[in-house]
Amino acid sequence: MTWRAPLVALTALVVGGCATTGVRPAAVAPPAPRAEIGLASWYDAPRGARGLTAAHRTLPLGTRVRVTNLDNGRRALLVITGRGPFRRSRILDVSRHAARRLGFLTEGTARVRLEVLERP
């Protein structure tokens, strides 16, 4: 009968070790804002369209981004409204108005940092 006491104790440990405390882990924090650095170009929007918009290959439409021209430090808040650019060397196409605000309208392209601020 001496073998029963250790067996009961071992069973209690195994069963007790599998029990939960009822405390749930904290919710997982949303991912940190995504940033990309690369070349941006601009596109000519239809006449009368003066929005601060951009096209990106993968970001969801409606995503708000901050774009910084790394050559001159100028920034603009843009909304992703289309798909592109279609040249592999570029990460973003911005509207004509956005290119003017960022200061690269005459150059045609600029090295930029894109930071995701808010996804739809």
Side-chain angles (χ1 to χ4, degrees):
M1 294 272 200
T2 59
W3 58 272
R4 284 190 178 183
L7 182 62
V8 170
L10 181 62
T11 303
L13 281 173
V14 170
V15 172
C18 295
T20 62
T21 61
V23 177
R24 293 187 177 158
V28 176
R34 181 175 149 195
E36 293 180 61
I37 294 178
L39 197 61
S41 55
W42 63 271
Y43 59 88
D44 201 7
R47 191 173 275 289
R50 291 183 37 99
L52 291 171
T53 61
H56 190 273
R57 286 187 196 95
T58 59
L59 288 174
L61 300 181
T63 300
R64 291 173 23 99
V65 297
R66 178 187 303 125
V67 179
T68 305
N69 183 334
L70 296 176
D71 295 329
N72 62 20
R74 293 174 75 172
R75 292 179 169 184
L77 298 177
L78 310 178
V79 178
I80 302 299
T81 59
R83 293 289 168 229
F86 299 108
R87 294 188 67 160
R88 285 184 167 258
S89 61
R90 298 181 184 163
I91 64 165
L92 192 67
D93 271 343
V94 303
S95 65
R96 180 184 188 102
H97 187 61
R100 183 179 296 118
R101 170 103 24 119
L102 291 165
F104 72 91
L105 187 62
T106 57
E107 294 86 357
T109 61
R111 205 160 160 264
V112 299
R113 178 177 49 241
L114 176 148
E115 299 168 88
V116 174
L117 300 177
E118 181 182 326
R119 293 178 186 251

